[in-house]
Amino acid sequence: MTAEQREFLAGSIRTNGASENPWWANAVVYQIYPRSFQDTNGDGIGDLRGIISRLDYLADLGVDVIWLSPVYKSPQNDYGYDISDYQDIDPMFGTLYDMDDLIQAVHQRGMRIIIDLVVNHTSDEHAWFEASRKGTMPYADWYWWRPAKEGHTPGVPGSEPNNWGSDFGGSAWEYSPERGEYYLHSFSEKQPDLNWENPAVRQAVYDMMNWWMNRGIDGFRMDVITLISKPVEADGELPDGVPGEDGYANAQIVMADGPRLDEFLKEMRQQVFEGREGFLTVGEAPGITPARNQAITDPANNELDMLFLFHHVEFDARGSKWNPLPLDIVPLKRIMASEQEAVKESGWASLFFNNHDQPRVVSRWGDTTTEQLRSLSAKALALVLHMHRGTPYIYQGEELGMTNAGFTAFDQYRDIESLDLYKLRVLAMKLSTHDQMLDALGRRSRDNARTPMQWDSSTFGGFTEEDAASVPWLPVNPNKRIINAVDEQRDPNSVLAFYKELIHLRHTNPVVSAGGWTLLDGDDERVYSFERSLEGFDLSDTTELSRVVVVANLTGHTAHIPPQTAAALGLDPVAFPVEASGMSIDEENLLISNYPRPQTASTLLTGRLAPWEAFAYQL
Ligand code: GLC
Ligand code: CA
């Protein structure tokens, strides 16, 4: 394909011209966790002014959309995912006027901004819940209230209405002496679940969403949206679920993909988005299968644009994430393939390894034992993810190859999930020993993703001012000395530079943004490889098939280019490992590589991949 053709196609995808694909089909989204991004007033907590001050960095990176984790008024029990006023900003982050400025500043730079929508639950300090707890009309029925189990004394352990368990440990029911009943909370007891069966609740949510859309935002990332429809029986009963190792049926599993989910999502689409253009809706979707993802994201069904599925970040554990297993790439490939296959014809995929709930991918599946391996493995993992078909999401610092926090003592952790699960697993139920849990937290705690953004090598990494009054709320990782934005901006071989190339490829290469996806050599234990192909677009009467072959050695050992991959590259696998026959390497066609180009060109002839070697080759 010529550069001209590429440009034409990229343009047509963007403007929805010749292609069916909407604007976000070649967009890249960047997630900001505001608490840890940039502090400007010296309180050690990131804020909206801080985000505004870093927008040029994001524009330079090339991302199209910014997703902001919650900045609403909140008691911060779950760091903002517990909202007490949907239509105000927490003073810790700034004001509504700062938010207006941010929206404007993002748009001025040609980017869009979506915000977190957390409506499976509110904070227990939200006015709706305070009224509901008192039984005040019309709010009495806005949450899930149930009496104690029949024949049991209210308020004592074992009397909860059913066996549902909170995702943060323990029962999902909390007793309210004030009301004499229990309320449901899928997460902490300070996050009561809203009752979506009540049409007034839904209307209040849609009104609030419209208020934000009218204020200028470009859409929403919808927190655990697939839990909003509870499996309620005709008589109002909420049936027990299958208990896990802690004796509870995890609320996230029980409630996933409930009976009225499609209906609620269609109603929301109609009430909030009909008649609007240029927006994006992405739903966090625990418990959704690839087939259901297809249905929910099929434009014909008028529900959501895309979902975050979790199978590919949950398979490397036994029982729960607190029993982590080392990476086995064969099941990873199988899961990613099933997610890709399901949306082949219609529907869409989102692509992510990281967010504010996941450990850093380079620590999880890469290699951080040396600086060279960290850089190579971060790039290899990035290449694999970004070359899939779908919309890639970058979580702040991922583009620098930021690592896990490296905490070694329990008192360093701040996240409610880590604190509660430690208490439950180690102290109450003895499911893990202290040492096991400390090891698991080091690998999986959400705090790993939440240490402050590493802007430079100074004491607090440029996140906040260097004076005693402004100690960051969570310690800056000491490796900011080498892993930081300033140094990486100067280094053409940095992880950051590599991400810029990946984003550029998605913007300019239609095979990457629109092409089909086929897994190659699914059983190979070292190499993750696949082919992208775009067929049948007609330009000046020539129809041609363009292909991009992506190859990544996801180990620190050398590996051989496996047979299907070799064939896709036009190599003769029989001639390996000595020399491949008949291939002429045009370095122009090497779209990207994490090794020097001449070295990867010779890899294409020998069939022998260096540790973590990863590249994309266009044919
Ligand atoms: C989502 C959020 C997570 C939060 C939970 C409850 O999973 O990503 O951070 O704790 O929902 O709102
Ligand atoms: Ca601040």
Side-chain angles (χ1 to χ4, degrees):
M1 189 166 17
T2 65
E4 198 186 3
Q5 286 171 320
R6 260 176 222 164
E7 205 156 289
F8 171 83
L9 255 142
S12 66
I13 289 164
R14 246 198 297 277
T15 58
N16 218 348
S19 154
E20 288 294 304
N21 282 333
W23 66 270
W24 36 255
N26 70 342
V28 178
V29 185
Y30 188 92
Q31 182 192 355
I32 292 180
Y33 192 68
R35 217 184 155 77
S36 302
F37 197 59
Q38 178 68 62
D39 177 28
T40 54
N41 65 347
D43 63 357
I45 297 170
D47 42 54
L48 292 177
R49 289 272 145 214
I51 298 171
I52 295 172
S53 75
R54 293 297 187 181
L55 287 179
D56 288 333
Y57 168 85
L58 298 178
D60 178 57
L61 178 59
V63 296
D64 305 274
V65 185
I66 294 168
W67 149 28
L68 217 60
S69 276
V71 290
Y72 312 90
K73 210 165 233 161
S74 160
Q76 303 288 320
N77 172 256
D78 187 16
Y79 292 136
Y81 283 91
D82 50 318
I83 296 166
S84 54
D85 186 346
Y86 290 113
Q87 287 167 243
D88 206 353
I89 302 294
D90 198 282
M92 158 189 304
F93 296 120
T95 66
L96 273 173
Y97 302 108
D98 294 331
M99 189 68 188
D100 290 340
D101 287 351
L102 173 61
I103 294 168
Q104 203 191 6
V106 169
H107 289 162
Q108 269 166 5
R109 286 164 179 80
M111 298 184 286
R112 289 178 164 95
I113 179 167
I114 65 172
I115 59 178
D116 231 295
L117 177 81
V118 189
V119 289
N120 173 67
H121 46 268
T122 68
S123 162
D124 67 338
E125 296 178 35
H126 194 291
W128 298 343
F129 187 75
E130 286 174 346
S132 189
R133 182 160 49 198
K134 291 193 182 83
T136 309
M137 294 309 284
Y139 300 102
D141 191 29
W142 280 41
Y143 295 81
W144 291 91
W145 291 99
R146 288 291 182 278
K149 199 182 263 173
E150 235 180 279
H152 287 65
T153 316
V156 305
S159 297
E160 294 85 12
N162 69 18
N163 74 348
W164 294 0
S166 147
D167 201 55
F168 295 160
S171 172
W173 295 97
E174 181 75 9
Y175 183 65
S176 161
E178 195 173 351
R179 179 149 162 167
E181 285 186 309
Y182 291 82
Y183 64 87
L184 178 67
H185 58 91
S186 303
F187 298 91
S188 98
E189 68 278 4
K190 287 187 66 63
Q191 294 165 295
D193 283 36
L194 280 164
N195 176 12
W196 275 70
E197 300 291 319
N198 185 335
V201 169
R202 306 204 296 273
Q203 197 55 54
V205 169
Y206 306 147
D207 289 348
M208 174 270 284
M209 292 172 74
N210 275 308
W211 184 86
W212 274 110
M213 290 299 291
N214 295 341
R215 216 169 173 108
I217 60 141
D218 302 293
F220 298 94
R221 174 270 186 184
M222 304 180 182
D223 192 66
V224 290
I225 198 70
T226 50
L227 307 187
I228 57 178
S229 164
K230 317 298 181 198
V232 57
E233 290 175 347
D235 58 3
E237 284 294 302
L238 298 169
D240 278 344
V242 183
E245 60 174 353
D246 61 357
Y248 293 108
N250 185 297
Q252 289 224 39
I253 297 170
V254 173
M255 295 169 194
D257 206 4
R260 298 182 70 187
L261 179 64
D262 293 301
E263 179 195 337
F264 293 160
L265 293 176
K266 284 186 213 298
E267 185 182 74
M268 177 192 282
R269 185 80 172 201
Q270 195 238 327
Q271 294 275 326
V272 182
F273 300 103
E274 213 174 86
R276 298 190 192 268
E277 274 171 18
F279 61 87
L280 168 66
T281 60
V282 49
E284 191 196 21
I288 295 293
T289 62
R292 283 285 292 141
N293 177 43
Q294 187 280 321
I296 294 171
T297 62
D298 184 342
N301 289 337
N302 288 311
E303 296 186 28
L304 297 175
D305 296 331
M306 61 188 91
L307 298 177
F308 295 128
L309 303 188
F310 288 94
H311 312 89
H312 71 290
V313 287
E314 285 175 348
F315 75 99
D316 56 338
R318 198 179 338 103
S320 81
K321 75 178 192 180
W322 309 108
N323 288 317
L325 297 170
L327 173 63
D328 178 352
I329 74 163
V330 174
L332 176 64
K333 288 190 277 186
R334 195 189 316 124
I335 294 165
M336 294 291 283
S338 69
E339 293 178 357
Q340 294 275 301
E341 298 291 333
V343 290
K344 231 178 177 155
E345 305 295 334
S346 64
W348 194 246
S350 70
L351 308 170
F352 77 98
F353 285 151
N354 273 143
N355 61 35
H356 63 294
D357 296 328
Q358 298 293 328
R360 295 285 182 178
V361 69
V362 66
S363 299
R364 180 181 193 166
W365 293 336
D367 187 339
T368 57
T369 51
T370 70
E371 178 47 21
Q372 195 200 8
L373 288 170
R374 180 196 65 90
S375 173
L376 283 171
S377 62
K379 291 171 189 168
L381 289 161
L383 179 85
V384 165
L385 186 72
H386 282 246
M387 288 295 115
H388 278 76
R389 180 167 175 271
T391 300
Y393 286 71
I394 300 171
Y395 175 69
Q396 65 183 46
E398 186 178 356
E399 78 280 14
L400 304 175
M402 273 177 63
T403 66
N404 278 351
F407 293 161
T408 50
F410 180 62
D411 65 11
Q412 291 172 297
Y413 289 96
R414 295 287 171 273
D415 174 32
I416 180 166
E417 183 198 49
S418 298
L419 305 182
D420 282 5
L421 267 295
Y422 178 91
K423 277 182 231 149
L424 182 88
R425 297 187 64 89
V426 179
L427 305 179
M429 299 196 68
K430 309 212 182 325
L431 293 169
S432 309
T433 64
H434 169 84
D435 288 349
Q436 280 168 344
M437 195 60 186
L438 210 58
D439 177 65
L441 287 171
R443 293 169 195 276
R444 290 298 164 90
S445 169
R446 306 194 299 183
D447 281 336
N448 285 309
R450 300 178 182 183
T451 60
M453 180 72 177
Q454 294 167 203
W455 296 106
D456 60 40
S457 59
S458 65
T459 312
F460 295 140
F463 166 68
T464 190
E465 294 154 36
E466 282 191 56
D467 64 56
S470 59
V471 175
W473 74 277
L474 200 60
V476 177
N477 194 314
N479 65 22
K480 49 111 204 319
R481 268 178 288 114
I482 23 178
I483 307 171
N484 67 68
V486 166
D487 288 342
E488 295 198 25
Q489 261 161 338
R490 285 194 204 114
D491 174 7
N493 292 316
S494 64
V495 177
L496 179 64
F498 196 81
Y499 268 87
K500 285 188 195 175
E501 278 186 65
L502 287 173
I503 295 166
H504 184 69
L505 268 178
R506 178 151 303 259
H507 288 161
T508 53
N509 189 317
V511 184
V512 172
S513 51
W517 183 95
T518 313
L519 183 65
L520 302 168
D521 298 293
D523 291 334
D524 194 280
E525 288 168 7
R526 294 187 178 182
V527 179
Y528 194 137
S529 50
F530 50 86
E531 178 178 297
R532 305 291 313 277
S533 59
L534 190 64
E535 199 176 359
F537 63 87
D538 212 323
L539 205 70
S540 25
D541 293 331
T542 45
T543 303
E544 60 175 293
L545 174 72
S546 284
R547 298 187 296 127
V548 171
V549 178
V550 178
V551 185
N553 174 8
L554 294 189
T555 74
H557 312 282
T558 55
H560 292 297
I561 296 182
Q564 288 174 355
T565 311
L569 284 164
L571 299 169
D572 178 1
V574 182
F576 285 164
V578 188
E579 201 180 338
S581 55
M583 184 178 191
S584 65
I585 308 297
D586 181 352
E587 277 189 34
E588 272 277 285
N589 291 337
L590 195 52
L591 296 177
I592 185 168
S593 171
N594 64 350
Y595 273 79
R597 276 160 188 276
Q599 185 170 342
T600 298
S602 95
T603 295
L604 280 163
L605 292 176
T606 62
R608 214 167 143 78
L609 294 154
W612 296 103
E613 186 172 12
F615 60 86
Y617 191 81
Q618 175 127 25
L619 295 116

